Amino acid sequence: MSSPAETADAGSTGTADGSDGAREIPGWTPYRAWFRQQWAQGGAVAWGTALGHLLVGLLVFALVVGFDVATLPVGGSLVWFVYLTVTVGVLYAATAPPAEPYVAWLDDRWMESDTDKLLIILGHVVLVFFVFAVALGLPFNGLAGALGSVFFFTAVYAMMVLALNLHWGYAGIFNIGIAGFMAVGVYVMAILSTPVQGGPTAVPGFGLPLPIGILGGVLAAAVVGLVTALPALRLRADYFAIVTVAFSEIVRLTLNSRTLQEVTFAGITTGTGGATGKTMPGNPVRLLFFESFEPGAGPALLGSVLFPLFEGLRVQLIPPNSSLVGVVPLPAFTLDLAVEPPVIVNWAYVAILAGFVGLFYVLLVRTGNSPFGRVLKAIREDEVVAKSLGKDTNRFKIVAFMFGCGLMGLGGILWQGSQGFVNPNGFRPIITFYIWVALIIGGAGSNTGSVLGGALFAGLIWEGPVYVRRVVTNFVDFGDTPATFPAAIGPFVEGEVLPFLAYMLGNVSALRFVLVGVILVVLMQTRPEGLLGHRKEEAAAIPLGRPTRGSGDDATDGGNQ
């Protein structure tokens, strides 16, 4: 009689790795081993292998289902989406499981440098919106426009969070009046730079050159910060926060009033425009591509060169009358990469904003590494100890507050500068709340975390829900959307889910608040210091020991990593 172990061995048909050998596809095991070997090499070999699989899979899929690949836009359609899903599924099975090498690669790159951290986050944001574009069937121009919007908000939120990080992350100043300082900078710039002849509906200004207007807006925000800080910094953090948010609302309501809608000063008529808003100088970047700000203006020299180049940008991947090994005919495939002029102008402005983000970053890094920055961090940790060492903490906090307010004014100008119009309702306290959320996500005290927080907030919280709604409604017919919450919750109680989902997707702002709440709860439970924020720093002005690559113990960005 055989033993139980022998019986088990005799009845086992599985392989050594636990898979069912009888059901295994012939050649699958060596193929998977080869693929994993190629993927493990990383770099161009890994991504070249993945790209090759995508292209081969596209051709095979096109031949199987019998459609012309040339009819697909870059974004694709439902068929294109199904193809990508199937191909990614095959790659998922081939890596078996892919999470382990991917997470290991991600951990390794994350510890490399601040640049790698930024590229990882931005790369994943681009990937998410590429999936959105595929699901929506957007052409390349639509994808470029969507990414341009995402990177615009990434840049402006990064600038505002960096300015706030100087207040809260460096000096421990609890400022929740950010929108007010933004409004001061924007409106002063608009009043100084708007033409004297404002037009039939526009409120005129002083007609000064735009650089002078921008400088005046930044200085005005800094001076207003000084006026606010002199009495308010004597208060404790929570009372100071109340003062700043009250100041922000006073500024907004003052700009909204009819009294200042149009006034005469030194013989020049100007004003805030009241509740109707105020025109601003046109986007100067547009003049690089067009002859004027008029909608029908012809292209300038740069536009006449770039517009035809990008409008006709197409890459023929498979020429007509091609075949596979001379036997299987292949459909012609041309990659349409055309981009329209408005998208090009928007991307040019985004590039300028990216330069200002770099300027903010370098400026704050140098500030954090300076003796002034180290005193601010000492005040943040324990103001009494800083005073006992002979530091005039009030003076340091006032200078830091003025500096940060000036940066907030400049950030507001760059935020609104491409729109040509400003309204007081664009500076509600919710803007301050969003900037604080981005800082909490990235981590207080870390300049790199400030940029990462801005990117994650702009991509996944601000723009993400809008595209989620578009993707879902593109594939699901919800019918009529309920107008009120009771009208949506009634059918939901009875088991009908679609009306409730339609109502939720129709209220993206509410979804943002829900998403923000969930993210904050998760962060407070798992990582209350944010993605990169913590308070461990070198006590000396410079590291005293030999730095260890990837240790992450010392701050490399002027703040706390």
Side-chain angles (χ1 to χ4, degrees):
M1 181 179 294
S2 60
S3 65
E6 293 172 346
T7 304
D9 292 338
S12 174
T13 59
T15 60
D17 60 356
S19 60
D20 191 350
R23 298 182 180 180
E24 183 176 331
I25 301 175
W28 175 254
T29 299
Y31 161 74
R32 185 171 65 177
W34 170 83
F35 186 92
R36 296 183 68 179
Q37 182 182 9
Q38 298 297 109
W39 186 262
Q41 295 185 36
V45 175
W47 292 111
T49 304
L51 180 60
H53 280 72
L54 288 173
L55 294 178
V56 172
L58 173 61
L59 297 178
V60 174
F61 189 71
L63 294 174
V64 171
V65 301
F67 69 88
D68 187 2
V69 184
T71 61
L72 288 177
V74 173
S77 59
L78 179 59
V79 179
W80 177 241
F81 183 70
V82 171
Y83 153 70
L84 278 181
T85 304
V86 173
T87 307
V88 170
V90 173
L91 295 178
Y92 187 96
T95 53
E100 296 179 3
Y102 170 73
V103 171
W105 171 83
L106 194 63
D107 288 340
D108 181 64
R109 301 304 302 176
W110 187 264
M111 299 302 295
E112 286 291 329
S113 65
D114 294 340
T115 303
D116 287 321
K117 294 180 178 68
L118 293 174
L119 292 178
I120 287 173
I121 294 297
L122 294 178
H124 283 75
V125 170
V126 170
L127 180 61
V128 168
F129 278 85
F130 176 77
V131 173
F132 286 156
V134 168
L136 291 171
L138 296 179
F140 185 78
N141 183 74
L143 175 61
L147 290 178
S149 177
V150 171
F151 280 105
F152 170 82
F153 284 109
T154 296
V156 294
Y157 271 104
M159 286 187 289
M160 301 311 302
V161 176
L162 283 169
L164 177 60
N165 189 48
L166 176 62
H167 285 172
W168 177 247
Y170 281 11
I173 301 174
F174 194 13
N175 176 17
I176 54 176
I178 304 168
F181 298 107
M182 292 172 58
V184 170
V186 173
Y187 268 88
V188 170
M189 184 276 291
I191 292 173
L192 292 178
S193 299
T194 303
V196 177
Q197 301 297 331
T201 58
V203 178
F206 287 90
L208 298 176
L210 183 60
I212 296 179
I214 294 175
L215 180 61
V218 174
L219 293 178
V223 170
V224 171
L226 171 64
V227 174
T228 306
L230 284 176
L233 282 177
R234 301 177 183 273
L235 304 174
R236 291 187 302 174
D238 46 356
Y239 294 105
F240 178 79
I242 295 173
V243 170
T244 55
V245 72
F247 159 79
S248 176
E249 281 298 277
I250 290 172
V251 169
R252 186 179 68 85
L253 295 175
T254 301
L255 296 173
N256 231 343
S257 67
R258 294 183 178 180
T259 305
L260 298 178
Q261 183 172 354
E262 189 168 332
V263 296
T264 301
F265 178 78
I268 299 177
T269 301
T270 185
T272 64
T276 58
K278 180 173 178 58
T279 57
M280 296 174 59
N283 183 1
V285 177
R286 179 179 170 83
L287 294 180
L288 297 176
F289 298 92
F290 293 96
E291 295 178 346
S292 67
F293 294 112
E294 299 298 327
L301 178 61
L302 185 60
S304 61
V305 174
L306 293 181
F307 291 163
L309 176 64
F310 281 95
E311 287 178 342
L313 187 58
R314 291 172 178 83
V315 180
Q316 191 172 50
L317 297 181
I318 304 178
N321 303 322
S322 299
S323 61
L324 185 62
V325 297
V327 178
V328 181
L330 298 177
F333 182 35
T334 300
L335 200 61
D336 189 355
L337 302 177
V339 180
E340 297 178 358
V343 178
I344 297 175
V345 175
N346 291 339
W347 269 101
Y349 191 73
V350 169
I352 293 176
L353 291 180
F356 274 98
V357 172
L359 179 63
F360 276 46
Y361 185 91
V362 172
L363 192 60
L364 291 182
V365 165
R366 295 183 66 87
T367 300
N369 291 332
S370 67
F372 176 78
R374 292 196 294 273
V375 172
L376 291 181
K377 296 170 187 177
I379 295 173
R380 176 196 67 193
E381 297 298 336
D382 196 324
E383 187 172 355
V384 175
V385 173
K387 284 183 177 180
S388 67
L389 296 175
K391 302 298 181 182
D392 187 351
T393 57
N394 283 334
R395 183 173 66 87
F396 277 93
K397 289 196 294 183
I398 288 174
V399 173
F401 193 74
M402 288 181 60
F403 186 22
C405 290
L407 293 179
M408 291 173 182
L410 178 58
I413 292 171
L414 295 172
W415 190 332
Q416 304 288 338
S418 62
Q419 301 178 10
F421 184 81
V422 62
N423 188 283
N425 291 329
F427 302 99
R428 292 182 178 273
I430 189 64
I431 299 297
T432 299
F433 172 72
Y434 285 151
I435 295 170
W436 267 99
V437 170
L439 178 67
I440 293 172
I441 293 174
S446 171
N447 294 316
T448 304
S450 299
V451 180
L452 292 181
L456 289 174
F457 180 87
L460 303 183
I461 299 178
W462 185 259
E463 291 288 300
V466 177
Y467 282 89
V468 169
R469 178 184 62 184
R470 292 180 59 183
V471 169
V472 174
T473 55
N474 190 49
F475 291 102
V476 180
D477 184 11
F478 291 99
D480 296 332
T481 302
T484 62
F485 183 75
I489 200 66
F492 181 77
V493 175
E494 298 176 357
E496 297 183 18
V497 182
L498 290 183
F500 179 75
L501 291 178
Y503 176 80
M504 292 300 297
L505 292 175
N507 294 270
V508 176
S509 298
L511 283 179
R512 285 198 186 108
F513 278 111
V514 172
L515 187 58
V516 166
V518 171
I519 290 175
L520 290 180
V521 169
V522 172
L523 278 177
M524 293 302 103
Q525 292 293 328
T526 59
R527 193 172 177 83
E529 69 274 15
L531 292 178
L532 297 180
H534 61 68
R535 298 295 177 89
K536 294 176 63 177
E537 298 184 61
E538 295 283 350
I542 59 174
L544 300 180
R546 178 175 297 177
T548 302
R549 181 174 177 268
S551 62
D553 290 334
D554 55 341
T556 61
D557 62 354
N560 307 323
Q561 283 193 345

